[in-house]
Amino acid sequence: MFKVTGHHSTYDFTGVTINFDTDLLKAFGREDVHQVQILGNYNVLKNLKMVDVGSRTDRPTWRATNVVLDGSYNRIEGFHMTVKGSWPYGYGDAFGKGGNYVIKHFKHCAILIRGESNHVKACTMMHMAYGHAIYMQAANNALIEDCYVEGEIRSTDDMLAERGSGSPADKVDFKTVWGYPLPAGFMMSLQEGGIRAYNGGHTVIDGKAYERGTTHVTVVNCTIKNMRTGITLTHAKGKKLVRGSTTIGCERGFCIGSGDIINCRGDARYGPVFGIDYESNRNCRAEITILSNDDSYNGNSQLTYIIGNGHYITFRGSDNGSNQALTIDIAGQYDVVRSRDAPVKAASHVEIHNLTTYPLRMGGNSSDTFGESCGVIINQGLITMSTELIATKPINNWGFVITVLSRKLIFL
């Protein structure tokens, strides 16, 4: 709709609001709808308020994105977006995403970063559409800082209450894309990722098209609330840094595969605050303060899920581990709403510093793990220790040999 093709320009939209009628999204046919797209270089767009006006279920014929950054060294700053217009809305990814679906989805995202060294700064996204808030495809050296993203959440119990109503979910008898009926007892975001990187895509820089993945991502001082994932950079390559950021009420908070998570915070009210996607992921360094998890609705009761190799993880606690039903899991099973009966996965050479009182649970496929815990250690269901501090060292494939630094050792 608005295309910026020039170079070295600044557009200051202070005091300007552009309303986008969502019922016009279908008018573009089977094309990607880009409300704003930057194709030039060294441009700055500032302080625009973008409002999608209309129903949350007005949808594009294909898909829509509010802002797309191509080119190089461009920046959007101080944007405020109200994002609406996708279908179906109200179920998250329970009935599909991408090419695999029970109900065909028509997505609407806020910001797509592509190109070279593009920058999103101090932007706010009130996200009321099924799609990503900020995502990257074919981006190199992307920088995202001082941004706020807020989605919406809904319990699966509330979704199941639609039975007999003739709603989209009712019409497919609540059979999910994962092959089983929608389970009760979980909280789901109605959106996709807060900040998400992909390992493929295309972009245009100086008129030349590129097909490539995403490399070198930096996320600084961002807050993500009520999204399916907070900050997920697993599929990006190169240097990955997340610093000073917070995830609140997300189904999963931080997950970057490898790289550094420094001085971050998050809760596990509706899902793990931290996770690792693949056993092949290596060398993630994470320092996360666990926020209060009172009144949690976490269906799989996991505070974290750590697999892979060579990670260095530190958890601190601001609420002193008040919800002891949540566990810090190393290896084992990731049994969430979208992976019931998931396979048991392995972790090795993990250094863990659990400075909270949350229990630390070692799965049967954990090995050569060491560190310390201020919470109970559950080691393959064999040993539990309740202490103020536990120091450990690696041995064989047990996961832990326990060096007692306090008075109480309980064998089960």
Side-chain angles (χ1 to χ4, degrees):
M1 297 182 185
F2 295 90
K3 185 177 290 187
V4 179
T5 58
H7 311 292
H8 297 278
S9 295
T10 297
Y11 301 84
D12 190 340
F13 294 95
T14 299
V16 174
T17 298
I18 300 179
N19 295 322
F20 296 86
D21 290 330
T22 55
D23 60 359
L24 296 178
L25 293 174
K26 287 185 178 180
F28 289 83
R30 194 174 171 82
E31 298 285 344
D32 286 336
V33 179
H34 298 161
Q35 293 174 348
V36 175
Q37 183 175 15
I38 305 174
L39 285 163
N41 306 322
Y42 296 96
N43 296 294
V44 178
L45 280 68
K46 299 166 50 177
N47 303 328
L48 176 62
K49 186 175 182 179
M50 304 175 66
V51 181
D52 292 323
V53 178
S55 168
R56 296 183 185 183
T57 57
D58 286 338
R59 63 168 179 85
T61 303
W62 186 235
R63 57 193 171 201
T65 306
N66 284 39
V67 178
V68 178
L69 286 86
D70 285 295
S72 58
Y73 297 95
N74 296 299
R75 182 173 84 244
I76 63 167
E77 180 177 348
F79 275 42
H80 190 288
M81 304 179 193
T82 300
V83 184
K84 291 191 292 185
S86 64
W87 197 91
Y89 187 72
Y91 310 114
D93 63 343
F95 303 104
K97 59 182 180 178
N100 188 21
Y101 57 85
V102 175
I103 303 171
K104 174 68 174 175
H105 279 66
F106 300 88
K107 298 184 184 182
H108 190 158
C109 301
I111 299 174
L112 170 57
I113 304 174
R114 305 192 293 204
E116 171 63 41
S117 299
N118 287 322
H119 185 183
V120 176
K121 181 178 181 179
C123 292
T124 297
M125 285 136 276
M126 306 306 294
H127 212 286
M128 293 173 280
Y130 181 60
H132 301 294
I134 303 173
Y135 71 115
M136 290 159 275
Q137 295 179 337
N140 186 49
N141 290 318
L143 172 59
I144 304 164
E145 66 172 327
D146 299 330
C147 290
Y148 179 82
V149 173
E150 183 172 336
E152 298 182 304
I153 55 171
R154 188 184 184 195
S155 70
T156 55
D157 306 72
D158 191 50
M159 298 177 196
L160 290 166
E162 294 182 4
R163 191 174 300 279
S165 69
S167 68
D170 185 44
K171 288 179 180 179
V172 298
D173 199 26
F174 298 90
K175 184 68 174 293
T176 68
V177 70
W178 311 299
Y180 47 80
L182 184 68
F186 290 87
M187 192 71 76
M188 296 185 70
S189 171
L190 308 186
Q191 284 66 42
E192 293 195 286
I195 298 175
R196 170 72 187 270
Y198 281 94
N199 59 358
H202 69 276
T203 188
V204 176
I205 305 172
D206 293 323
K208 183 179 179 180
Y210 296 87
E211 297 285 337
R212 64 188 191 187
T214 296
T215 52
H216 308 311
V217 178
T218 301
V219 179
V220 180
N221 296 337
C222 292
T223 298
I224 314 296
K225 182 177 180 179
N226 294 347
M227 300 294 285
R228 187 178 75 203
T229 57
I231 300 173
T232 296
L233 307 179
T234 300
H235 292 116
K237 295 182 178 180
K239 182 179 179 181
K240 292 177 278 187
L241 171 64
V242 180
R243 186 177 72 241
S245 295
T246 303
T247 63
I248 303 168
C250 295
E251 290 187 61
R252 186 180 64 186
F254 300 91
C255 187
I256 67 171
S258 62
D260 296 316
I261 301 171
I262 299 172
N263 191 27
C264 289
R265 308 188 309 159
D267 66 29
R269 291 186 66 193
Y270 307 135
V273 67
F274 173 78
I276 299 288
D277 278 320
Y278 304 110
E279 290 174 305
S280 58
N281 291 153
R282 295 172 175 268
N283 303 326
C284 181
R285 298 177 64 89
E287 302 171 4
I288 300 173
T289 296
I290 310 301
L291 302 177
S292 175
N293 293 300
D294 289 341
D295 302 319
S296 69
Y297 202 87
N298 185 326
N300 70 330
S301 299
Q302 287 177 313
L303 190 86
T304 72
Y305 179 67
I306 302 169
I307 58 176
N309 184 276
H311 308 304
Y312 183 96
I313 312 295
T314 300
F315 296 120
R316 297 179 175 88
S318 61
D319 68 338
N320 201 30
S322 60
N323 187 344
Q324 294 294 296
L326 302 177
T327 56
I328 296 171
D329 283 16
I330 298 180
Q333 187 178 46
Y334 188 40
D335 190 19
V336 294
V337 64
R338 57 186 55 79
S339 58
R340 312 300 287 160
D341 300 320
V344 173
K345 295 186 177 181
S348 64
H349 298 93
V350 174
E351 182 168 342
I352 179 79
H353 296 272
N354 175 25
L355 307 182
T356 77
T357 60
Y358 286 98
L360 176 64
R361 182 166 62 184
M362 304 296 302
N365 281 18
S366 61
S367 63
D368 297 317
T369 303
F370 58 100
E372 60 186 356
S373 178
C374 295
V376 169
I377 288 181
I378 305 167
N379 182 21
Q380 297 181 329
L382 298 177
I383 298 175
T384 298
M385 174 171 273
S386 178
T387 77
E388 293 181 357
L389 182 67
I390 302 168
T392 58
K393 59 185 179 180
I395 183 170
N396 300 326
N397 60 358
W398 260 54
F400 275 103
V401 159
I402 298 178
T403 302
V404 182
L405 297 183
S406 67
R407 303 182 182 88
K408 188 176 182 182
L409 177 65
I410 303 172
F411 290 91
L412 299 180

